[in-house]
Amino acid sequence: MTSSLDRMPQRVVILGQGYVGLPVALRAVEAGFDVVGFDVDAERVQRLAQAESFIDDVSDDMLRDVLATGRFHPSSDVADLAGFNVAVISVPTPLREGAPDLRYIESAGEMLAPHVRTGSCVILESTTYPGTTEEILVPILERGSGLAAGTDFSVGYSPERIDPSNPTWHFRNTPKIVSGIDDNSLKDVTEFFAALVDETVPAPGLKEAELAKLLENTFRHVNIALVNELAMYAKELGVDVWAVIDAAATKPFGFMKFTPGPGVGGHCLPIDPSYLSWQVRRSLGHAFRFVELANDVNEHMPDYVVTRVAEKLNAVRRSVNGSTILVLGLAYKKNSGDARESPAIAAAQRLVQRGAVVRAADPLIDARLVPNGVTLVDATPEELDGADLVLVLTDHDAFDWQAVEAVESKVLDTRNRLRGTAAEIL
Ligand SMILES: NC(=O)c1ccc[n+]([C@@H]2O[C@H](COP(=O)([O-])OP(=O)(O)OC[C@H]3O[C@@H](n4cnc5c(N)ncnc54)[C@H](O)[C@@H]3O)[C@@H](O)[C@H]2O)c1
């Protein structure tokens, strides 16, 4: 088989222009490829064409620059998938009633299949359980193209490790795991990503690459659950858990620092480990106990935060019902506008259910994501003064922390931002 990567100019299509697909598309343009940024969401495509970003790490200026090259073509027209050399699928992989929902991968495969030609290379990037590429995607591509994977065209899996808002590690300098259905596919996948990132790391097969991604996220999920559970017990024991973690983190080997918080959120941690436990249960009939325990602990954290709010109000003879609570941060992580599966939103909703007057400040999230019953406000000194309790759920740098410190005695801080003040820390 002649590799499509031997031919220039190279046309790349990226299916899915979200947190993962858009940065890949931009980097591919920068590396000299001709790129179709394909998304079924026509509104997103229109915004991209107007250099209007909806992703934290991509600025409008970056979009303007790639559009100016004439090699970035945002599109929601399937006809634009034609003639590609390399296709990257980076579509969502959510859970539906606790089970993997692969319909986005399936539909992306169906759209792509008629355009697969001899020598094409198709790479799946979405996070999923081992076996997906070979058992779900490949049959769709073969059926729709009439060609054979491996023999006629290349297929690979390369998990995305992007960490939105991470100032140090970004798409280019994070090593990228690559895999292929056969040696030739691995060569094509490696060659493509070697043009985009500093380092590629070959995995022996598709399933190893798929499982490596789930291991990475499960590792993080389990360790966050460990410190979250420790935080609850340390509080009862009268021990400062944050000081404990800082002390343990001075060990130069065998320990990795994770910090407690109001729970886990985003597209990855609350979902990916469940792909693994679902597959283990379905294929082997066993419970993946670490994953289930971690889910249990992390999902409980918003309730624990509400309990701590109630205790703090109780200490000044107030109830949650009727108190004004100013929530700082609704996104699931600092300096990000991503509110998917955010535990901060879960905690705010629970406070509303208990009758609190919840006002929330988050300069980064889309106002449409603010839950019912919560009023979006700015964290002005007046708002801080007017609240009975200030609850720090996401410690964005954009907040005026000096102003928050001015009302320290009524602050419950789940992020340890106000350490050393009179604020109560989780
Ligand atoms: N967000 C992260 O930090 C991150 C990190 C690593 C891996 N991942 C994984 O990458 C995948 C994508 O996640 P994301 O955060 O980019 O999701 P996202 O929701 O930000 O973007 C996905 C995009 O795919 C589009 N889409 C859906 N079906 C499509 C189709 N058939 N063809 C073309 N476009 C389609 C959606 O309209 C959306 O714009 C998921 O599997 C996720 O688990 C995400």
Side-chain angles (χ1 to χ4, degrees), residues 333-401:
K333 75 189 277 196
K334 179 178 173 167
N335 298 340
S336 162
D338 193 346
R340 293 178 295 179
E341 313 284 331
S342 175
I345 292 208
Q349 283 171 324
R350 282 163 173 72
L351 290 168
V352 171
Q353 281 158 7
R354 282 159 185 72
V357 178
V358 181
R359 301 171 74 77
D362 192 316
L364 301 178
I365 78 157
D366 183 337
R368 287 172 297 188
L369 302 175
V370 176
N372 281 342
V374 175
T375 308
L376 189 63
V377 296
D378 289 329
T380 57
E382 295 72 36
E383 282 290 341
L384 289 158
D385 276 342
D388 296 306
L389 185 142
V390 176
L391 175 60
V392 178
L393 291 175
T394 318
D395 58 333
H396 295 312
D397 289 333
F399 288 127
D400 178 352
W401 290 102

Side-chain angles (χ1 to χ4, degrees), residues 92-104 129 267-278 295 299 341:
T93 44
L95 285 169
R96 192 165 29 150
E97 288 165 16
D101 178 359
L102 297 183
R103 73 185 125 153
Y104 301 100
Y129 62 81
H267 190 302
C268 297
L269 294 197
I271 295 166
D272 301 351
S274 297
Y275 265 62
L276 184 52
S277 57
W278 174 86
N295 277 341
E299 281 168 12
E341 313 284 331

Side-chain angles (χ1 to χ4, degrees), residues 253-312:
F253 50 89
F255 186 84
M256 190 177 282
K257 182 174 173 175
F258 290 88
T259 50
V264 294
H267 190 302
C268 297
L269 294 197
I271 295 166
D272 301 351
S274 297
Y275 265 62
L276 184 52
S277 57
W278 174 86
Q279 196 195 26
V280 168
R281 195 179 275 282
R282 182 192 65 157
S283 310
L284 310 174
H286 296 303
F288 200 131
R289 289 170 295 168
F290 266 103
V291 173
E292 292 184 3
L293 181 61
N295 277 341
D296 194 38
V297 173
N298 287 334
E299 281 168 12
H300 173 69
M301 290 310 288
D303 288 318
Y304 177 67
V305 169
V306 170
T307 304
R308 292 282 297 268
V309 166
E311 283 171 2
K312 189 164 174 62

Side-chain angles (χ1 to χ4, degrees), residues 45 107 132 136 149 171 174 194 228 239-240 340 352 388 393 416 421:
V45 168
S107 79
T132 305
I136 308 282
F171 179 67
T174 305
N228 276 340
V239 182
D240 178 348
R340 293 178 295 179
V352 171
D388 296 306
L393 291 175
N416 198 27
T421 71

